[in-house]
Amino acid sequence: MTYSFSSPTSVDAVILDYNGVLGVQPTLAQWQHLAGLAGWPDTDLASLQYAFWKAREPYDAGQLSDLAYWAKVLGYHPGPRLLRELRTADIAMWTHIDPHVLDILYRARTAGLPMVLLSNAPAHLSNVLDATDWRRHLMDDALYSARLEVCKPDPAAYEHALAATGIADPGRVLFVDDRADNCRAARRLGLRTLHYTGSPSDLRTAFAFTA
């Protein structure tokens, strides 16, 4: 079966977040593995997650090196071996894909819908995502905060992504993200938005597929 999307009832391009849309959230076991590497008490996982996220935005924006980021999380500078192990675990936490969303995106690509990835991601994760088959096959472009040196919801991130779609009218572009604040920022720039809450059927509806 072939699929198409139909303007003007649908959109001319889509800007997609990665984690929380195409990428699934880390499991408890993955967080526990990271805590074990960091020497964190099993009973205090929440404090590890707090430290992890507190320093994440400048890391995602390319303002911190791997070493500087993990030093902030741990409270000390890890040696080369531990740093490699932490980075490997970090990558593994963010590289699991929702197969249902992936199927919808492949249908969208077959139908000719242009797509641009816009992700808050550090440099090492950006490189891993760029090397995946789905990135090469689905996305016309992929923009990462570490390379842009700015994170969503900064307006500059959306402006870069809109330019990458080649669509002049932001009202003809759909932005999909799992964070409400990111969607609000996109709407302020005139983009259509879908606050994605984990239901692939919402994507199918937003893309206005016709069989």
Side-chain angles (χ1 to χ4, degrees):
M1 180 178 291
T2 59
Y3 294 82
S4 64
F5 68 95
S6 54
S7 294
T9 58
S10 69
V11 295
D12 293 334
V14 173
I15 299 170
L16 288 155
D17 178 37
Y18 169 69
N19 184 54
V21 180
L22 181 55
V24 300
Q25 300 289 359
T27 64
L28 176 60
Q30 288 174 318
W31 280 112
Q32 290 172 332
H33 174 63
L34 186 67
L37 290 174
W40 220 272
D42 292 340
T43 56
D44 198 17
L45 186 59
S47 67
L48 169 66
Q49 292 171 323
Y50 175 79
F52 182 97
W53 290 117
K54 184 179 180 181
R56 196 69 180 191
E57 184 169 336
Y59 185 41
D60 284 349
Q63 297 167 7
L64 296 175
S65 67
D66 293 343
L67 180 60
Y69 170 70
W70 286 108
K72 286 182 175 293
V73 173
L74 301 175
Y76 63 88
H77 282 77
R81 179 177 177 179
L82 178 56
L83 181 61
R84 287 194 300 270
E85 291 173 342
L86 290 167
R87 186 167 53 192
T88 298
D90 189 28
I91 290 172
M93 291 171 65
W94 308 111
T95 48
H96 292 271
I97 301 297
D98 184 332
H100 303 292
V101 173
L102 187 65
D103 178 65
I104 292 168
L105 296 185
Y106 270 106
R107 292 181 181 184
R109 172 51 95 192
T110 300
L113 181 62
M115 290 182 286
V116 170
L117 192 72
L118 179 62
S119 176
N120 288 353
H124 70 270
L125 180 58
S126 304
N127 294 335
V128 170
L129 295 179
D130 263 351
T132 60
D133 288 341
W134 61 262
R135 155 65 182 99
R136 294 194 300 267
H137 296 159
L138 292 174
M139 302 297 161
D140 294 273
D141 203 350
L143 306 179
Y144 304 100
S145 56
R147 300 176 187 173
L148 296 175
E149 298 184 343
V150 66
C151 290
K152 294 174 293 181
D154 190 298
Y158 305 95
E159 291 165 357
H160 283 292
L162 183 60
T165 68
I167 306 298
D169 180 4
R172 301 296 303 157
V173 179
L174 176 68
F175 173 73
V176 182
D177 199 291
D178 68 319
R179 284 178 46 173
D181 58 335
N182 289 342
C183 289
R184 286 194 296 269
R187 284 196 297 274
R188 286 195 288 268
L189 294 175
L191 292 156
R192 300 189 196 184
T193 63
L194 170 62
H195 179 205
Y196 185 74
T197 57
S199 175
S201 63
D202 290 343
L203 280 179
R204 286 191 292 268
T205 299
F207 288 177
F209 280 132
T210 58

